[in-house]
Amino acid sequence: MIQLILARHAKSDWADEGLDDHDRPLNDRGRRDAPAMARSVLRRGVRPEVLLSSTAVRARSTADAFAEEFEVEVTERPELYLAEPDALLDAARASEAHEVMVVAHDPGMSELVSRLADRDVRMVTSAVAIFTWHEGDWSDVGSTAPDEFELLTP
């Protein structure tokens, strides 16, 4: 079984216009939504063994909220910052784990989720897409339709 959990970072704070995009923190809503979404994923019996995150502050903070609920460590991957869909998928594959969560950004996240779901999906902040392939391995991800797909939104 392969399970790929794709999460867009929670809502970020735009108050400091001089702050570099990479350094934007979560706002109050983001700090509330991230742990709530993590609990929602957990209630579905989903618990990734690997959690990969962009190095951006807002993504890492979101990943930390999930990591606390899942009791797993976060691995930061610089290439996930504003990554294209293929880079997001390549990072998950490279983990070689069966259950992987990736926390990153749009537009790459929406593009990858849309491709895997074979329909147009807009990943709003804090959204989580859960894909499951009951048979096969990572070579099947992206080339065969998932057996299950669920989109969770705050």
Side-chain angles (χ1 to χ4, degrees):
M1 178 183 86
I2 296 292
Q3 198 159 54
L4 177 60
I5 304 105
L6 299 171
R8 182 172 175 205
H9 64 78
K11 195 79 171 160
S12 61
D13 191 340
W14 288 86
D16 185 348
E17 293 177 12
L19 200 59
D20 183 72
D21 178 72
H22 189 274
D23 299 328
R24 283 189 292 115
L26 296 180
N27 66 13
D28 289 341
R29 180 176 145 201
R31 287 190 294 275
R32 282 191 312 269
D33 285 351
M37 291 304 292
R39 289 188 294 274
S40 183
V41 170
L42 212 60
R43 280 193 298 274
R44 285 159 174 76
V46 175
R47 183 188 299 263
E49 54 192 310
V50 171
L51 202 165
L52 306 175
S53 175
S54 158
T55 55
V57 171
R58 61 194 181 274
R60 176 59 199 247
S61 298
T62 302
D64 286 342
F66 279 91
E68 186 173 328
E69 292 294 327
F70 298 151
E71 299 176 349
V72 65
E73 290 187 31
V74 176
T75 301
E76 285 188 342
R77 301 289 300 266
E79 69 272 18
L80 295 178
Y81 176 61
L82 304 179
E84 296 290 325
D86 289 337
L88 296 169
L89 191 53
D90 289 346
R93 282 185 180 126
S95 74
E96 298 183 0
H98 293 281
E99 297 160 339
V100 179
M101 180 174 207
V102 178
V103 179
H105 313 268
D106 247 5
M109 190 63 69
S110 287
E111 291 171 11
L112 179 57
V113 171
S114 294
R115 182 191 315 165
L116 295 175
D118 196 29
R119 64 181 173 135
D120 189 35
V121 178
R122 181 172 177 262
M123 292 289 285
V124 297
T125 53
S126 296
V128 177
I130 304 168
F131 294 93
T132 305
W133 290 262
H134 294 291
E135 302 289 327
D137 57 27
W138 279 106
S139 65
D140 298 307
V141 176
S143 62
T144 61
D147 296 308
E148 296 177 33
F149 164 64
E150 185 172 10
L151 180 64
L152 310 177
T153 57

